[in-house]
Amino acid sequence: METHQKTKLGLVLATDPRWVNIAEMQIEDILSDHAWCEQKAATTGISLIVKYAYQPGIVEEVTPIVAEEWGHFRRVLKELNKRGLKLAPPRKDEYVKKLFALEKMGLDSKHVMVEKLLISAMIEARSCERFRLLSLHIQDDDLKVFYREFMESEAGHYHMFIQLAKSVLPAEYVQNRWNEFLISEAEIMKSMELRGDRIH
Ligand SMILES: [Fe+2]
Ligand SMILES: [Fe+2]
């Protein structure tokens, strides 16, 4: 299962499963951070639609993802509420900032679009990996089910962003660039402290 999942997502560096043990001691923080991740996913999706509405497939494919991410935001808020927990204010997202810093400069619009689609795919892939760990190892049975659903949903988004990138530029270029992103993302993960109060 581990190998299968790793192959599917292609992530170079797997998260230490002990991360779940730290995270579950800070449920209010982790759920708050998760909620804001969903908000950012919705916001990024809207930006893609606004910027690239002319590209076939973008509006059609990204609009349902935005709706789903906003639904996720609401679901996490509901979960906080159910547990009598409060939504903490948003934080600066170092991981996402570092990923966007990988974007190559001076490219034409199609290549820029692919950079952005692959960064979105990367955030989905890493989130999916973390949600999977939570779904497997968290003690709370309700949260196991909760995170299993998120894992499946984000896996679908990851797949969609890769497919969209391949509809913009040749699959071979996209695959090579994706492989570069995978290596750089592992470096980013290695450079970051493993904290239980954030999804990544
Ligand atoms: Fe989501
Ligand atoms: Fe997503």
Side-chain angles (χ1 to χ4, degrees):
M1 179 66 187
E2 189 69 32
T3 317
H4 174 66
Q5 190 68 25
K6 266 178 83 175
T7 314
K8 238 171 92 183
L9 292 168
L11 294 173
V12 172
L13 189 74
T15 299
D16 185 334
R18 281 174 299 182
W19 167 72
V20 177
N21 307 133
I22 331 170
E24 68 188 342
M25 290 190 288
Q26 304 170 71
I27 289 296
E28 190 167 45
D29 292 325
I30 204 79
L31 284 174
S32 292
D33 190 65
H34 177 186
W36 294 119
C37 287
E38 300 296 354
Q39 170 270 315
K40 278 174 277 183
T43 304
T44 306
I46 292 170
S47 302
L48 286 171
I49 291 167
V50 173
K51 204 159 195 272
Y52 301 118
Y54 61 86
Q55 175 68 29
I58 291 280
V59 174
E60 294 81 352
E61 302 296 350
V62 182
T63 300
I65 294 183
V66 169
E68 211 174 329
E69 303 294 21
W70 199 247
H72 287 172
F73 180 66
R74 297 183 69 193
R75 275 205 62 194
V76 185
L77 290 185
K78 210 170 145 193
E79 194 61 32
L80 277 161
N81 202 24
K82 193 179 99 185
R83 292 166 181 267
L85 304 173
K86 279 211 172 81
L87 177 69
R91 63 174 176 92
K92 281 205 178 82
D93 195 326
E94 208 190 326
Y95 171 72
V96 168
K97 200 176 144 207
K98 286 182 174 189
L99 277 185
F100 274 99
L102 297 175
E103 203 181 313
K104 277 188 193 162
M105 294 295 137
L107 301 174
D108 65 34
S109 63
K110 284 200 169 201
H111 286 77
V112 173
M113 201 189 311
V114 165
E115 294 288 294
K116 294 191 189 303
L117 290 168
L118 292 184
I119 291 169
S120 285
M122 186 57 76
I123 301 168
E124 297 287 355
R126 181 58 74 183
S127 304
C128 178
E129 190 239 10
R130 295 266 163 117
F131 293 157
R132 175 174 170 272
L133 285 180
L134 290 167
S135 77
L136 290 174
H137 305 300
I138 206 160
Q139 304 283 326
D140 186 307
D141 285 335
D142 289 345
L143 287 178
K144 270 195 168 84
V145 178
F146 179 81
Y147 276 112
R148 167 114 210 141
E149 285 172 29
F150 280 96
M151 178 200 94
E152 284 166 4
S153 178
E154 311 309 355
H157 299 165
Y158 151 78
H159 185 71
M160 181 53 69
F161 282 122
I162 297 277
Q163 289 311 111
L164 275 174
K166 288 180 177 171
S167 74
V168 177
L169 284 175
E172 199 190 342
Y173 171 85
V174 172
Q175 193 56 51
N176 290 338
R177 186 63 185 122
W178 176 245
N179 291 341
E180 290 174 3
F181 269 114
L182 286 170
I183 293 165
S184 306
E185 195 264 353
E187 290 303 318
I188 291 173
M189 291 312 295
K190 250 184 248 170
S191 75
M192 291 181 66
E193 188 192 350
L194 192 69
R195 296 178 56 144
D197 61 348
R198 50 195 60 178
I199 296 296
H200 26 59

